[in-house]
């Protein structure tokens, strides 16, 4: 299977395509690919029994499609742990190279990698790593952008997007960091946060891509 096809299965899975239909529009926005090309590829993948499509409603993964998506995600997230822990990669560098490695990692390799890393539960960006059976354990998270001033929370997960990852790492934000919201500016203005012994500001846009837990 080509990396391109695999990316479709992975994105569908991330959008909930193992449980419900995902619209072509949503998928095309996420993959940044024209709707016509998306429809064409979905037809191909359905002919290979990796997903089912319903006219005007979207696509849903089959059991086989789910299996491939899970193995890609496992590979991606385990490689990220390895690259950061052992090769000194930055947040965004790890994501970038994991995008390549996930497509060339057979089940045996990811299994050994997982054992070598001592079965990490999360990738460095806070995304849960599915186990061999595809089970994922994820706590209840809320978006940082929904917090009111005065709230204290723990950073749990961030979206894997290069610019965002570089921005957050420069600000000193890490998974597991405790933050307190000092102020929220009006009209989608910045969030002022206390992080350790310093005060930082992050944009509203970034706050919409950071997941936190408030009940610890
Ligand atoms: Zn990650």
């Amino acid at each position: 299977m080509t990396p391109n096809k695999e990316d479709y299965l992975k994105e569908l899975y991330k959008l909930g395509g193992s449980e419900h239909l995902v619209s072509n529009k949503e998928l095309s926005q996420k993959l940044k690919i024209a709707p016509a090309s998306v429809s064409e590829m979905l037809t191909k993948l359905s002919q290979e029994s990796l997903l089912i499509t319903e006219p005007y409603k979207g696509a849903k993964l089959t059991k086989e499609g789910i299996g491939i998506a899970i193995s890609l995600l496992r590979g991606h997230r385990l490689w990220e742990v390895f690259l950061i822990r052992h090769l000194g990669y930055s947040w965004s560098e790890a994501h970038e190279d994991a995008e390549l490695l996930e497509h060339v990692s057979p089940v045996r390799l990811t299994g050994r990698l997982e054992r070598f890393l001592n079965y990490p539960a999360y990738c460095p960006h806070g995304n849960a790593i599915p186990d061999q059976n595809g089970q994922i354990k994820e706590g209840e998270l809320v978006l940082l952008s929904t917090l009111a001033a005065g709230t204290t929370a723990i950073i749990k997960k961030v979206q894997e997007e290069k610019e965002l990852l570089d921005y957050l790492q420069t600000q000193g934000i890490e998974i597991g960091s405790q933050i307190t919201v000092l102020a929220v500016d009006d009209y989608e203005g910045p969030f002022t946060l206390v992080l350790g012994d310093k005060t930082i500001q992050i944009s509203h846009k970034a706050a919409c891509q950071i997941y936190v837990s408030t009940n610890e």
Side-chain angles (χ1 to χ4, degrees), residues 76-77 80 95 123-127 158 160:
H76 183 99
R77 294 174 183 170
E80 286 181 334
H95 174 67
C123 88
H125 314 104
N127 285 297
V158 299
E160 302 194 4

Side-chain angles (χ1 to χ4, degrees), residues 202-215:
I202 60 162
S203 67
H204 182 268
K205 189 179 175 192
C208 290
Q209 301 186 75
I210 300 172
Y211 293 85
V212 300
S213 155
T214 51
N215 43 20

Side-chain angles (χ1 to χ4, degrees), residues 80-89 116-120 122:
E80 286 181 334
V81 175
F82 178 84
L83 296 172
I84 288 185
R85 226 189 254 176
H86 296 286
L87 301 184
Y89 274 54
F116 174 75
L117 296 168
N118 200 19
Y119 303 93
Y122 298 94

Side-chain angles (χ1 to χ4, degrees), residues 108-153:
R108 175 172 59 191
L109 176 58
T110 44
R112 298 276 174 92
L113 184 60
E114 185 178 37
R115 191 169 72 191
F116 174 75
L117 296 168
N118 200 19
Y119 303 93
Y122 298 94
C123 88
H125 314 104
N127 285 297
I129 298 174
D131 68 17
Q132 300 250 15
N133 307 312
Q135 295 303 316
I136 288 191
K137 39 178 180 313
E138 216 153 59
E140 265 191 41
L141 305 179
V142 294
L143 282 172
L144 176 52
S145 57
T146 64
L147 300 185
T151 317
T152 294

